[in-house]
Amino acid sequence: MAIDSQLSSPLGPPACEKDAKALQFIEDMTKSVDEVQRRVLEEILSQNADTEYLGKFQLDGATDRDTFKSKVPVVTYEDLQPQIQRIANGDRSPILSAHPISEFLTSSGTSAGERKLMPTIHEEMDRRQKLYSLLMPVMNLYVPGLDKGKGLYFLFVKAETKTPGGLVARPVLTSYYNSEQFKTRPYDPYNVYTSPNEAILCADSFQSMYAQMLCGLLMREEVLRVGAVFASGLLRAIRFLQLHWKQLAHDISTGTLNPKITDPSLRDCISSKIVKPNPELSEFITEECSAENWEGIITRIWPNTKYLDVIVTGAMAQYIPTLEYYGGGLPLACTMYASSECYFGLNLKPMSKPSEVSYTCMPNMCYYEFLPHDPNAPALSRDSPPRLVDLADVEAGKQYELIITTYAGLCRYRVGDILQVTDFYNSAPQFRFIRRKNVLLSIDSDKTDEAELQKAIENASVLLREFNTSVVEYTSYADAKSIPGHYVIYWELLVKDPENSPSHEVLNQCCLAMEESMNSVYRQGRVADNSIGPLEIRVVKNGTFEELMDYAISRGASINQYKAPRCVNFTPIMELLDSRVVSVHFSPAAPHWNPERRRC
Ligand code: AMP
């Protein structure tokens, strides 16, 4: 179809008229960042003027930035927990938002060991949908012909719970995949998936993955892009193929469906519409999958794949080498930056190298503020509030902590992400994701901080007491080379009574005790999602941590201020630690996890 030249965009020539409109929207938004932000704050403050929360700060109807900033405090999740608890318990009065809270989105961030509950309202779904609708028009600028085939995306829903007041609590993507916007989305040739909705919406993770992989194999020639939300999810799919290709090949050869697929709608949809006997394809899969070497397996099985669509920025960067191995060097596209609190923005150059990815925050999503982040500056004080910078005023090269005010009622809320301004598109800043504050270890969506790790070590150490043994030093490492990845904890022990030192079995139990102490997202990853492998303790020789200190000092660390790092990933340090390992232990069982357990 010829595109009206008037619709062409500075971002590039749009692939179709619909794309032209989306690109024009990006132009409009990025050219008037400050004006859009002013309007967004005005809308949020007028909409929520009569809420209990905003009422406390006596804005008296003001909707301007100065009044807002001078009267409303910057808060964390913990500050809002009393209000969130009341909503969860069934209080339907306008506490945070004038619009009814439609559900809670369970963040992978935790508070007191449980997932954070983010209130949301119906209209937010449209805002998220709008951001999704911008992704393909941008991708089409870089990868032509994506309407000629399909996307093999491994997408999953997770367990839902209900709060005592009856509101659903579930992850944001589970909410999105279950929405009418997703389930009854109009046909779009640029967004055709190999996975039927029945497979994505099947809550049993084995059946869902099996069906999605089967469909992906059956349609292998049509697949033009392969993806998952995060890198860890795509690697899990590869691991699944390694474990189950024989059964998959059997189904393809015979045109039957694995009896372990018991979900009636899934069985019906796959066996009636999709599986037909195809011995040739089955043979091909058997040949490829039984080979020792899986390097480039994605390009071998799905030869028309143009890129891998997975987020590999932030905590997921640890998976880049493994994805490059299985992907045979296919480009890795990071398309968007979002959270349970709010979706933020997109990558306008999705084919850029992971280390160069920047996200452009769309000013219509929420009202943004930025707290200048200087790791050496003193902590936030309530007496002298720091000066927060507006979206239009951030400076290239500087780092900031993201603070948002949302339509759903979060006001000046600290998301916990540290971002660095790399450049501007029109007047919209573009941000590199630097890191999440206070996260030491992460494999999938889990985030373990220093305090949680310390607590887990303390709880596990209790088992060592009867052996007169204590943990004198420890550090940790997120091992992303195994699939699924797992936590590795290095322990230096003080064994006071070598005749009665803790046995291999006791140290295995210590691994489990640590896992039992981890937050619910970690335990869910271990138990329900199988996205995290058993925790490992590596006991190192006495004196190892002193050597670590010597090494740090030789590289310029101050002897007075030296503290053992609680997490390591620098190769020489890893090599030093690994060369001193005297024994290795793994968690012998899965920790407890119960989807229903929730205090609010
Ligand atoms: P959740 O709390 O589970 O909604 O996860 C949201 C968090 O995931 C964000 O606040 C970021 O820390 C992280 N995240 C989301 N998108 C990206 C991205 N594109 N790159 C790096 N980290 C991301």
Side-chain angles (χ1 to χ4, degrees):
M1 191 195 325
I3 305 301
D4 182 342
S5 62
Q6 289 207 308
L7 289 178
S8 124
S9 160
L11 284 164
C16 59
E17 233 159 275
K18 193 161 149 242
D19 282 13
K21 285 199 185 119
L23 298 180
Q24 187 56 49
F25 179 78
I26 296 175
E27 280 303 306
D28 294 345
M29 286 293 128
T30 55
K31 275 187 175 151
S32 46
V33 168
D34 208 41
E35 174 51 24
V36 178
Q37 282 283 275
R38 189 196 57 71
R39 186 165 44 73
V40 166
L41 183 64
E42 194 179 282
E43 278 171 16
I44 294 175
L45 294 184
S46 1
Q47 191 169 302
N48 290 334
D50 296 328
T51 58
E52 181 187 309
Y53 187 74
L54 275 183
K56 279 200 304 196
F57 305 113
Q58 292 164 350
L59 293 174
D60 298 327
T63 59
D64 63 287
R65 289 186 250 204
D66 285 346
T67 312
F68 177 65
K69 283 173 195 258
S70 66
K71 296 198 166 178
V72 179
V74 172
V75 293
T76 62
Y77 181 81
E78 284 67 28
D79 295 322
L80 295 180
Q81 215 159 16
Q83 285 87 351
I84 289 179
Q85 180 94 44
R86 279 172 51 211
I87 301 171
N89 288 345
D91 190 334
R92 294 279 179 272
S93 62
I95 297 175
L96 294 174
S97 161
H99 288 277
I101 300 299
S102 51
E103 61 183 314
F104 281 111
L105 302 176
T106 53
S107 161
S108 57
T110 52
S111 176
E114 293 292 329
R115 283 173 182 273
K116 290 177 184 168
L117 292 176
M118 295 301 167
T120 192
I121 54 177
H122 274 304
E123 64 172 62
E124 274 300 288
M125 189 66 85
D126 295 331
R127 231 168 258 118
R128 282 180 219 127
Q129 179 69 29
K130 178 83 192 169
L131 190 64
Y132 281 129
S133 75
L134 306 177
L135 303 183
M136 281 318 281
V138 172
M139 187 55 88
N140 291 337
L141 297 173
Y142 294 89
V143 187
L146 291 173
D147 55 336
K148 307 288 182 295
K150 296 184 177 173
L152 165 54
Y153 281 83
F154 296 96
L155 305 176
F156 301 94
V157 294
K158 288 197 184 181
E160 298 185 3
T161 52
K162 279 231 164 115
T163 66
L167 281 171
V168 172
R170 55 189 177 180
V172 61
L173 290 172
T174 299
S175 161
Y176 177 62
Y177 300 142
N178 274 298
S179 70
E180 288 311 308
Q181 280 96 329
F182 180 78
K183 285 195 287 196
T184 56
R185 59 195 182 279
Y187 174 79
D188 172 357
Y190 291 96
N191 259 324
V192 182
Y193 298 144
T194 52
S195 301
N197 287 358
E198 288 83 348
I200 296 171
L201 295 175
C202 172
D204 178 297
S205 61
F206 173 86
Q207 295 188 48
S208 172
M209 176 74 96
Y210 191 94
Q212 298 197 51
M213 184 61 84
L214 184 60
C215 295
L217 293 172
L218 289 163
M219 298 175 221
R220 63 180 278 270
E221 304 276 358
E222 293 168 72
V223 169
L224 300 183
R225 48 201 173 112
V226 175
V229 178
F230 287 114
S232 53
L234 183 53
L235 288 173
R236 242 169 42 238
I238 304 289
R239 180 77 192 136
F240 188 92
L241 185 61
Q242 282 174 339
L243 295 174
H244 301 287
W245 63 263
K246 281 190 187 146
Q247 179 69 44
L248 287 156
H250 172 267
D251 288 5
I252 293 171
S253 159
T254 54
T256 55
L257 184 58
N258 184 346
K260 286 196 185 137
I261 308 301
T262 51
D263 181 300
S265 66
L266 186 53
R267 264 205 95 74
D268 181 46
C269 144
I270 304 266
S271 33
S272 66
K273 293 189 224 137
I274 300 171
V275 204
K276 308 258 161 12
N278 187 340
E280 209 178 307
L281 174 61
S282 168
E283 225 166 88
F284 169 81
I285 288 163
T286 304
E287 203 170 299
E288 289 297 342
C289 294
S290 56
E292 276 287 290
N293 182 356
W294 273 50
E295 186 168 359
I297 192 77
I298 298 179
T299 40
R300 284 190 270 145
I301 296 194
W302 295 284
N304 300 317
T305 310
K306 299 184 183 202
Y307 65 94
L308 301 183
D309 193 344
V310 274
I311 289 175
V312 288
T313 42
M316 294 291 152
Q318 58 194 341
Y319 295 109
I320 293 172
T322 321
L323 278 175
E324 283 176 340
Y325 176 82
Y326 291 119
L330 280 170
L332 303 173
C334 301
T335 56
M336 71 189 287
Y337 170 45
S339 76
S340 313
E341 292 89 334
C342 185
Y343 281 20
F344 305 124
L346 75 169
N347 179 1
L348 295 179
K349 289 187 184 154
M351 300 314 270
S352 49
K353 282 199 285 200
S355 57
E356 286 162 17
V357 168
S358 289
Y359 299 100
T360 305
C361 283
M362 294 303 280
N364 60 312
M365 300 305 290
C366 63
Y367 173 63
Y368 302 90
E369 291 177 274
F370 295 87
L371 174 64
H373 176 73
D374 173 359
N376 303 316
L380 258 188
S381 137
R382 283 195 188 251
D383 307 330
S384 55
R387 207 180 70 79
L388 302 198
V389 180
D390 274 325
L391 183 61
D393 299 331
V394 294
E395 292 174 50
K398 293 208 171 149
Q399 291 192 8
Y400 298 91
E401 183 186 334
L402 176 62
I403 289 169
I404 55 169
T405 297
T406 66
Y407 286 86
L410 298 177
C411 283
R412 312 196 85 196
Y413 175 89
R414 301 176 76 163
V415 175
D417 289 349
I418 307 291
L419 309 174
Q420 181 174 32
V421 184
T422 52
D423 207 346
F424 288 80
Y425 181 72
N426 294 325
S427 56
Q430 301 184 294
F431 296 94
R432 175 174 301 150
F433 182 90
I434 299 294
R435 63 185 175 86
R436 178 129 184 141
K437 271 174 66 190
N438 305 330
V439 171
L440 214 54
L441 291 166
S442 173
I443 288 291
D444 189 43
S445 52
D446 53 302
K447 300 175 173 75
T448 298
D449 69 21
E450 203 164 327
E452 287 170 323
L453 181 63
Q454 168 74 28
K455 186 89 208 131
I457 302 269
E458 283 167 16
N459 289 349
S461 309
V462 171
L463 301 181
L464 301 176
R465 270 194 213 143
E466 63 174 293
F467 302 97
N468 222 347
T469 295
S470 53
V471 179
V472 285
E473 271 300 1
Y474 68 89
T475 190
S476 64
Y477 167 64
D479 185 344
K481 287 188 288 295
S482 55
I483 310 177
H486 69 290
Y487 289 9
V488 175
I489 318 294
Y490 292 92
W491 269 11
E492 187 170 319
L493 297 178
L494 177 63
V495 184
K496 293 190 194 118
D497 178 6
E499 298 296 295
N500 178 34
S501 61
S503 65
H504 181 62
E505 181 47 34
V506 168
L507 287 159
N508 288 349
Q509 289 301 328
C510 288
C511 297
L512 181 56
M514 286 197 67
E515 295 200 297
E516 294 286 10
S517 315
M518 297 292 179
N519 62 51
S520 70
V521 181
Y522 175 92
R523 286 179 285 113
Q524 179 175 356
R526 276 282 284 129
V527 178
D529 306 341
N530 287 320
S531 57
I532 307 174
L535 183 144
E536 178 183 356
I537 290 178
R538 295 183 190 163
V539 178
V540 293
K541 255 188 7 207
N542 282 1
T544 302
F545 278 80
E546 220 168 296
E547 286 186 69
L548 215 61
M549 178 167 88
D550 291 343
Y551 179 80
I553 289 165
S554 75
R555 287 174 53 94
S558 145
I559 195 155
N560 291 323
Q561 286 165 296
Y562 177 80
K563 291 177 210 72
R566 290 305 175 215
C567 182
V568 292
N569 60 9
F570 183 51
T571 311
I573 292 193
M574 307 293 308
E575 283 171 0
L576 192 156
L577 284 166
D578 281 329
S579 68
R580 305 293 187 273
V581 170
V582 290
S583 64
V584 171
H585 313 272
F586 283 95
S587 188
H592 290 96
W593 176 72
N594 178 355
E596 300 305 328
R597 217 193 105 239
R598 151 137 261 145
R599 260 162 285 136
C600 67

